[in-house]
Amino acid sequence: MSNEPDFRLDGRTAIVTGAASGIGRAIAQGIASSGASVAAFDLSGPGLDETVARINDSGGRAIAVPGDVTDAASLGDAVAQTQRDLGPLSLAVNAAGIANAAPAEEMALEQWQRVVDVDYTGVFLSCQAEGRAMLANGRGSIVNIASMSGSIVNRGLLQVHYNSAKAAVIHLGKSLAMEWSDRGVRVNTISPGYTATPMNTRPEVADQVRQFEQDTPLGRMATVQEMVGPAVFLLSDASAFVTGVDLLVDGGFVCW
Ligand SMILES: NC(=O)c1ccc[n+]([C@@H]2O[C@H](COP(=O)([O-])OP(=O)(O)OC[C@H]3O[C@@H](n4cnc5c(N)ncnc54)[C@H](O)[C@@H]3O)[C@@H](O)[C@H]2O)c1
């Protein structure tokens, strides 16, 4: 057996949710550069088409599979189309998510429910659709994108729904990893710290971002590209003995 770690994903088929923007888009591009064919899943729109164009224009292979992570049928259809067009599914990254804020004592049930539906139930439904295919194929690696907000509470951010949903996603990953451990499917989590996505680079949040940067031991936000290496590691055979972990990619934030 070679001692050289195998980070390549050649010949594999992946689905990435939340692929139209931010972290999901960067990971979709990184997976394609690492050799896999990619089905980009997101709400339909120009962002999704842009991700697919970027991958195909740079010599990779991608298709758009539009859908909504709160809709089990659209996830099932997307997995079926992915396998029809690209081959047996063995890789998945679930990055679709939303965030908003309100004081807990004033939060409307609808606001709570929407974040839980997308950020928590949406990850479960994605894993379920992907897992069904991977268990049938006898092989798979799933990476869910949670957040450091699943381990710590962000000072000054009123997002009890988001923090709770992200903590649930971390334990969801461990639970699925144990259910599927003897059937060839690994499940792991990445928990990003503050990351420079469109949400965090608007001029009106500049003061808040300066605070985020001061609070992060590495002194800055992550770039979306800095999520790619950890994701490719957890998807690839380089991490063949890793399942059920929550990999914090937070510039050291939770140590302080
Ligand atoms: N940006 C950060 O600082 C940060 C930090 C920690 C964790 N995260 C997590 O990383 C993930 C990606 O976040 P991002 O910052 O790239 O955000 P983003 O808004 O740039 O991308 C999120 C994507 O999810 C898609 N999406 C939302 N609801 C959907 C639905 N119902 N069905 C299908 N797709 C849907 C959006 O259309 C969008 O393309 C999220 O889960 C987020 O919670 C982000």
Side-chain angles (χ1 to χ4, degrees):
M1 198 174 167
S2 164
N3 284 327
E4 193 178 329
D6 184 5
F7 294 97
R8 293 292 306 174
L9 303 175
D10 300 288
R12 312 279 296 271
T13 296
I15 188 164
V16 180
T17 79
S21 177
I23 293 170
R25 169 182 279 169
I27 290 175
Q29 291 182 265
I31 290 173
S33 301
S34 301
S37 302
V38 177
F41 183 99
D42 206 304
L43 305 170
S44 67
L48 188 58
D49 299 336
E50 169 72 22
T51 300
V52 170
R54 285 190 195 191
I55 292 172
N56 288 324
D57 290 350
S58 58
R61 173 119 200 263
I63 59 167
V65 284
D68 186 324
V69 292
T70 64
D71 175 12
S74 82
L75 285 160
D77 290 348
V79 168
Q81 190 192 335
T82 300
Q83 298 210 102
R84 224 170 19 245
D85 293 357
L86 301 178
L89 185 72
S90 64
L91 307 172
V93 176
N94 298 315
I98 57 171
N100 52 52
E105 70 276 20
E106 291 165 19
M107 186 176 288
L109 177 58
E110 294 70 28
Q111 186 175 0
W112 165 274
Q113 196 62 55
R114 181 70 192 148
V115 167
V116 169
D117 283 349
V118 175
D119 289 1
Y120 176 31
T121 309
V123 176
F124 170 66
L125 292 175
S126 301
C127 289
Q128 189 180 48
E130 296 150 1
R132 282 175 182 150
M134 291 177 186
L135 292 167
N137 297 335
R139 176 190 199 196
S141 178
I142 298 175
V143 175
N144 295 323
I145 308 299
S147 169
M148 68 176 180
S149 308
S151 297
I152 54 92
V153 174
N154 311 65
R155 189 185 306 220
L157 297 189
L158 302 178
Q159 50 180 25
V160 63
H161 48 358
Y162 182 87
N163 297 343
S164 311
K166 293 300 186 179
V169 167
I170 294 167
H171 210 61
L172 169 73
K174 294 180 187 183
S175 305
L176 293 176
M178 294 305 100
E179 282 206 34
W180 297 339
S181 63
D182 59 353
R183 287 187 282 167
V185 178
R186 298 186 293 115
V187 185
N188 291 292
T189 305
I190 288 175
S191 282
Y194 293 116
T195 306
T197 58
M199 196 193 303
N200 286 331
T201 48
R202 291 169 295 145
E204 56 273 32
V205 296
D207 286 345
Q208 201 176 33
V209 165
R210 261 191 292 282
Q211 188 63 52
F212 293 166
E213 290 173 341
Q214 277 173 20
D215 289 344
T216 302
L218 291 190
R220 58 179 178 82
M221 293 196 291
T223 65
V224 289
Q225 287 75 23
E226 286 172 316
M227 300 300 147
V228 175
V232 169
F233 163 65
L234 289 173
L235 292 171
S236 72
D237 289 343
S239 65
F241 204 57
V242 181
T243 197
V245 306
D246 174 33
L247 178 54
L248 280 150
V249 186
D250 67 346
F253 190 98
V254 305
C255 293
W256 270 354

